[in-house]
Amino acid sequence: MTKDKIIEVNDLSVFFDEAKVLDEVSFSVSKEKVTVILGASGSGKTTIFRHLIGLYTSEPGRVSIMDKDISVLDELELKELYMKMGVFYQSGGLLGSLTVGENVGLPLEQHTDLPNDVIKDIVNLKLGLVELQHTYNMYPSQLSGGMFKRAALARAIVMDPVILFCDEPGAGLDPVSLSSLDNLIVELKEQMKMSVVMVTHEVSSILRIADNILFLEDGKIIFDGTLKDVLNSQKEQLLNFFEKGKGK
């Protein structure tokens, strides 16, 4: 793996019930950049995403993250690797029975031996980064849509991840809240020197935050390049995707 790459995928093929979902997919993710994975429903982008966050297993030599071939790591090594990653789920994944502060602190409670007062200090710091300092004792049901997403983002970064994975983070947000969330992700990426891998269909988000774009169709990557390259591309699939998205 070259020094500027943090993820490499090589010839990854995936079958579900004999149907080929991914067809010898290869790509890399640059350090401290935002890489967006695009494609229509059924294109394979979710399958790639789930391989990267460890929900699916791969054959040896297919997926390397931070110079680690994830297929050959033992349970402890995998745990150590995935503790360096944060995942921002579409649903937010916050537990309704816990306060915002308790939700954000949950990974620290589960995976570290830090004392409670230190955990609380870290949680308050992360809530401050997403402009939710006042919500520590509130419950998720008391938050607006935008605040809920930012609380979920705070939990995703509470362990200071090297890579942040985002699964449709802006789904359901109004344009103003979506723009605010996008800008916050970029600010945190730069401040924390994270690499971001995102699956989204929001064209406005892509135009605001993407450095690099992967576009999938029928389990194959048909485009891998920069945002500038994609906007200059004459590929019909890309033109259609961006034109339809602008009309939403």
Side-chain angles (χ1 to χ4, degrees):
M1 185 178 295
T2 58
K3 289 183 178 180
D4 65 330
K5 305 300 182 185
I6 198 161
I7 296 173
E8 285 194 354
V9 175
N10 296 294
D11 298 326
L12 179 63
S13 294
V14 177
F15 294 83
F16 291 147
D17 297 326
E18 298 184 358
K20 183 175 277 191
V21 180
L22 293 179
D23 187 2
E24 296 184 353
V25 167
S26 297
F27 66 90
S28 60
V29 172
S30 298
K31 291 180 179 178
E32 299 180 27
K33 300 291 185 181
V34 178
T35 298
V36 178
I37 304 174
L38 306 178
S41 178
S43 62
K45 62 184 185 297
T46 299
T47 302
I48 287 178
F49 191 84
R50 290 177 176 172
H51 272 279
L52 296 179
I53 66 174
L55 295 180
Y56 295 159
T57 57
S58 60
E59 296 178 358
R62 301 307 181 198
V63 180
S64 294
I65 300 177
M66 291 180 252
D67 290 319
K68 305 287 186 182
D69 181 343
I70 62 174
S71 66
V72 300
L73 300 182
D74 61 31
E75 187 175 346
L76 179 58
E77 290 170 328
L78 275 174
K79 180 180 178 181
E80 290 176 349
L81 179 65
Y82 283 109
M83 282 177 64
K84 298 177 183 177
M85 306 180 198
V87 183
F88 184 180
Y89 293 103
Q90 178 178 344
S91 65
L94 301 181
L95 301 176
S97 60
L98 301 180
T99 67
V100 171
E102 289 168 340
N103 267 289
V104 173
L106 198 57
L108 294 170
E109 297 242 1
Q110 292 178 327
H111 302 299
T112 75
D113 296 321
L114 293 173
N116 290 335
D117 58 336
V118 175
I119 290 177
K120 187 171 183 178
D121 287 343
I122 294 172
V123 170
N124 278 316
L125 175 63
K126 294 303 191 277
L127 287 174
L129 290 176
V130 299
E131 301 174 355
L132 290 179
Q133 300 94 320
H134 61 291
T135 65
Y136 191 101
N137 292 314
M138 295 173 67
Y139 286 88
S141 60
Q142 297 175 291
L143 303 179
S144 67
M147 292 168 67
F148 187 95
K149 294 283 189 175
R150 283 185 279 142
L153 178 57
R155 190 175 68 177
I157 64 168
V158 76
M159 300 275 288
D160 293 328
V162 177
I163 308 173
L164 175 64
F165 293 98
C166 302
D167 179 20
E168 298 281 4
L173 291 181
D174 63 83
V176 174
S177 297
L178 178 60
S179 176
S180 177
L181 181 66
D182 291 337
N183 292 334
L184 183 57
I185 289 173
V186 172
E187 288 173 11
L188 290 172
K189 184 264 295 184
E190 294 174 352
Q191 185 173 346
M192 301 176 68
K193 300 188 182 303
M194 294 185 298
S195 306
V196 178
V197 178
M198 180 182 294
V199 171
T200 184
H201 67 279
E202 301 283 356
V203 169
S204 61
S205 288
I206 297 162
L207 296 175
R208 272 191 292 266
I209 72 175
D211 293 306
N212 300 306
I213 290 175
L214 302 171
F215 195 100
L216 280 90
E217 183 176 79
D218 298 329
K220 295 184 178 182
I221 292 178
I222 64 169
F223 180 87
D224 181 354
T226 66
L227 177 62
K228 181 179 179 180
D229 290 337
V230 82
L231 295 178
N232 291 328
S233 172
Q234 296 304 307
K235 280 184 176 290
E236 182 179 358
Q237 301 94 321
L238 296 176
L239 293 172
N240 289 340
F241 180 90
F242 280 87
E243 284 303 315
K244 288 179 181 178
K246 288 177 182 178
K248 290 184 179 179

